[in-house]
Amino acid sequence: MLAKVLSSAVLGVDAYVVEVEVDVASGLPAFMTVGLPDGAVKESKDRVKSAIKNSGYEFPSHRITVNLAPADIKKEGTAFDLPMAVGIMAATGLIPKDKLSNYIILGELSLDGHVKSVKGALPSALSAKVSNKGILLPKENAAEAAVVKDIEVLPVESLPEAVDFLSDRITISPMEVDLQKIFESGTTYNVDFNEVKGQEHGKRALEIAAAGGHNLIMIGPPWCRKDHAGPEASHHTSRPYL
């Protein structure tokens, strides 16, 4: 049987929708992932298999093919673990397919079925909004994704929780954040450049870099205090710091 789950991948600073197509067919047991997966994606088969079994579900002893479309873009990271597991269980009838087209699903799986945080939650949430979808992702990433307004951000902690939600056995309250509180908390700092005496050129360079979001490299000989480690850490400060 065939099942299709929507996920997301980051390309540069933007994210795009990835269709995780799962086909479970008769034949000798095998698990193949196609669609230009990197090493971390290829290793997903071992995490997914263990997570499904250790969560109390049956892993199919069939030929499983997972295609990550579009297939001409390299896929990186571990965020495809959860959508792969959901796709396999949907293809074998353990999860209804009704809700699968409504959500972008992300999450790394531990061997016991716990859903771990992934990178790129914010651009993935923006991609979900553009696609008019909700997003189902690890609880640790929910606050980051909830910064994007007008989408349904659903945090999950485990594979069974995701399965129960997609099977309409439980409900999950959408994550919401107060942007005003976030901005207010970000205006309080424990240190200030006013406490630094002199070094006007250096302070101005740091301020410009911070204001523009630019990279900064600090170069100098040992013991010149490029960081706050002090002379006792001079053997660590002999190389540039970013």
Side-chain angles (χ1 to χ4, degrees):
M1 294 182 66
L2 178 68
K4 183 184 295 185
V5 181
L6 299 179
S7 188
S8 179
V10 177
L11 183 63
V13 297
D14 298 316
Y16 61 96
V17 175
V18 175
E19 294 182 351
V20 181
E21 300 173 321
V22 180
D23 179 59
V24 179
S26 57
L28 293 175
F31 194 134
M32 296 181 297
T33 304
V34 297
L36 288 183
D38 74 345
V41 179
K42 290 179 181 178
E43 292 174 351
S44 292
K45 62 181 181 180
D46 299 311
R47 294 190 296 271
V48 168
K49 184 175 182 179
S50 296
I52 291 176
K53 285 185 174 182
N54 292 328
S55 296
Y57 305 107
E58 182 179 354
F59 188 84
S61 298
H62 298 289
R63 183 181 180 86
I64 300 172
T65 303
V66 177
N67 179 45
L68 305 176
D72 60 342
I73 303 177
K74 187 173 183 179
K75 315 303 186 306
E76 300 177 344
T78 57
F80 298 111
D81 289 5
L82 182 57
M84 281 186 186
V86 168
I88 291 171
M89 298 177 73
T92 55
L94 293 176
I95 297 178
K97 300 179 183 179
D98 304 341
K99 284 187 174 183
L100 296 184
S101 61
N102 297 333
Y103 297 98
I104 301 289
I105 301 178
L106 304 169
E108 177 184 338
L109 288 173
S110 62
L111 300 186
D112 62 357
H114 180 75
V115 180
K116 303 171 71 174
S117 63
V118 295
K119 298 179 180 179
L122 180 57
S124 295
L126 290 170
S127 176
K129 182 177 181 178
V130 172
S131 304
N132 197 27
K133 306 291 184 183
I135 185 166
L136 187 75
L137 76 174
K139 185 177 181 180
E140 290 86 348
N141 296 119
E144 177 185 350
V147 171
V148 180
K149 296 300 182 183
D150 300 323
I151 67 167
E152 190 178 17
V153 178
L154 302 177
V156 293
E157 296 186 79
S158 65
L159 176 60
E161 184 180 6
V163 171
D164 289 342
F165 169 75
L166 295 170
S167 302
D168 285 326
R169 289 193 287 267
I170 64 171
T171 59
I172 299 176
S173 300
M175 170 66 75
E176 296 181 358
V177 297
D178 188 338
L179 288 179
Q180 186 61 36
K181 282 188 175 180
I182 293 176
F183 290 135
E184 289 176 356
S185 63
T187 59
T188 303
Y189 302 96
N190 295 325
V191 294
D192 194 289
F193 276 155
N194 288 331
E195 299 173 6
V196 179
K197 304 305 179 183
Q199 304 293 340
E200 299 302 328
H201 288 86
K203 289 191 292 184
R204 177 165 173 74
L206 291 169
E207 290 169 357
I208 292 173
H214 305 300
N215 295 322
L216 182 71
I217 185 169
M218 302 181 73
I219 302 175
W223 289 33
C224 73
R225 300 299 184 98
K226 295 184 296 296
D227 65 355
H228 56 77
E232 64 275 13
S234 60
H235 60 289
H236 294 301
T237 61
S238 58
R239 61 181 183 275
Y241 275 74
L242 293 175

